[in-house]
Amino acid sequence: MKILVAVKRVIDYNVKVRVKADQSDVDLANVKMALNPFCEIAVEEAVRLKEQGIADEVVVVSIGPKAVQEQLRTALALGADRAIQVETEELPDSLAVAKLLKGVVEKEQPQLVILGKQAIDSDNNQTGQMLGALTGMPQGTFASKVDMADGSVNVTREVDGGLQTVKLNLPAIVTTDLRLNEPRYASLPNIMKAKRKPLDVTTPDELGVAVTRTVKLLKVEAPAERSAGVKVADVAELVEKLKNEAKVL
Amino acid sequence: MSILVIAEHDNKELSPATLKTLAAAQAIGGDIDVLVAGEGCQAVAEAAAKAAGVSKVRVADNAAYGHFLAENLGSLVAELGKAYSHILAAATTTGKNFMPRTAALLDVAQISDIIAVESADTFKRPIYAGNAIATVQSEDAIKVITVRATAFDAVAADGGNASIEAVEQVISNDVAAFVGEELAQSERPDLTAARVVISGGRGMQNGENFQLLEKVADKLGAAVGASRAAVDAGFVPNDMQVGQTGKIVAPELYIAVGISGAIQHLAGMKDSKVIVAINKDEEAPIFQVADYGLVADLFDVLPELEQQL
C-alpha cells in the first residue's frame, strides 16, 4: 500500500510572530521555519505503518517555493521514501492546495492520504476535508488512533465531547491530532541518507490546476495587548479582589 | 442576502454555540434560515424556531445525519446552500469537520473561525495562534464561514416564531460509517460556555490532584480545563484541553493553576475577562497576561481557596 503525506513549511511553533509595521502581513523575514507540528505527526504515522509492514511506500508532498525542499528533506530523514515539490511562488489558499493535492493523488494513486489537522500559521483546518470533497474519499479528521484493516481503516477522532470512531473504506483521508503519536527525531545518518532520496519537482500547470485566490488579505494587526495586572500576597487578598474589585465572584 | 446557519446539536438539545452563530449571522444581515440535520431531532428544530431572528427552520431528520458524518452532512449543506449567499456554522469539531467539505463542493474558499463581521464580505479572524488578527475579504459568490462562538453574544433563545419545514433530501454514502463513541460524562458546565473556568497544567503533577481543582470548581460552579502538558502527561482526557488545538474559551473568570502560559495555551484563553494565575514560578509567562497573580505553591493555595469561597 502506498501512503501520501502532505507537509507544510511554517514558522517554528516557539517563535512569537510580529506584525509588519505597514500591517500588510506578519514578518517572516529571518524567522526560524520548521515542519508544521501536525505534519510531523502525519509523517511519523505513515512511517510507523511502513515499519509494521502495512505500507510499502511513503511519499511526501509539499507546495510552495524552493525553500519547502528543506522540510521535504526533513520528512525523508524521518523515514519517507521519496518527495514531490509542487513549485509555486506563493503559498496558495486551502482550496488551491486541495486541488493541487488532488492532482498528485490522481497521479500517485495512494490508498491513504495523511495530513495534519491544521497548519499553525493560517490555523484554517480545511485542506484534508477539501481534498476529501474533491476526490470523493471519506475522511477521518482529528485522528488520535488509526487502525488499518483489510480494505478499510478505523479512525478514532477527537471530538468536543470525547472520542468518536468511524470506519472508512480505502482510499481514505486522515488528518492528525496531536495525540496520534510522538514523532521521532531524525538521526544524523538518516539526515545524510535523506539527501540521496528522490525529490521530484512538478508545477501547478503539469497538474492542470490554476492557482487562484478568492479571499483577499486586507490587513493584519497585532491583537489587543493584555497588560500584566497585580500580584496578590495570599489567597485572602485574591478572593477579596475577585469579589470587590473584579466583581466576578 | 440570505443566510443558512447549520445548527449544532446532539439530536436532543440545541447547542448554545448555535445562538452565538446566529448573532454573527445577524451582524451580516439578511434572512436567516436554520438547518437542523440529525436523527430524531424534532425537539432541536422546535428550539431553533424560537431563537430570535430566525425566518425558517429546515429539518433533515434521517438516520443518514444521526452522527453528523462529514460525507453526508457536507454534501447536504452544499446542495441546500446553493440558494444562499452565506453558510455559517460554529467552529466546533463538527463544524470544522463538514464545512470545508461543503466549501470545496461549492468550489469556494472557507473562512475559518471568524471573530468579527466587518461587512457582508469582510471578516476578522485570528491567525498564528491568535498572535495576529487578519481582516479578509471574500470574492466568492457563496461565503462559507465558521464562527468562533466565544466572540459573539448569543441571540435570545426565546421570542422567535419561525416556521418549520421538512427537507426530504437524503444523502448517504457507502464509504464512511459511524462505529462508536466515548463521550466524557460530567456534571459540570460545558467548558466552552462556562462563566468560570479553572484549569490545571503540568504543575498538578498527576490526575488525582485534579480533585483539588474540582473541589474549587464545585464551589464556583466552574468548568475544569487543562493545558496540553496535563493532557499529554495523561492527567486528564483531551477534551478538557484549552488552547490553539483544543477548545477556545472566553469566560468571565479564568483561573490558571500550575500552567506556565505557552503561546499555544494563551491562544485558547486570553480573551477571558479576568485571568488569575497561580504558579510558584514568578517568571512564568502566564503572569504577563494575568490580572491577578499569586506566586505560591498550588498545593497550599487550592485547599485554602476552596475553604474561603
Side-chain angles (χ1 to χ4, degrees), chain A residues 139 141 158 165 216 226 245, chain B residues 71 97 137 180 238 272 292:
Chain A
Q139 65 187 47
T141 52
E158 311 243 335
T165 305
K216 279 192 295 189
R226 247 198 124 97
E245 200 176 273
Chain B
E71 292 77 7
N97 191 36
Q137 184 175 34
N238 74 283
S272 304
Y292 302 104

Side-chain angles (χ1 to χ4, degrees), chain B residues 90 175 261 275:
Chain B
V175 285
I275 297 173

Side-chain angles (χ1 to χ4, degrees), chain B residues 79-100:
Chain B
E79 273 304 313
L80 301 178
K82 282 177 188 150
Y84 294 86
S85 61
H86 294 73
I87 308 174
L88 270 62
T92 57
T93 49
T94 306
K96 288 174 182 172
N97 191 36
F98 79 84
M99 281 288 262

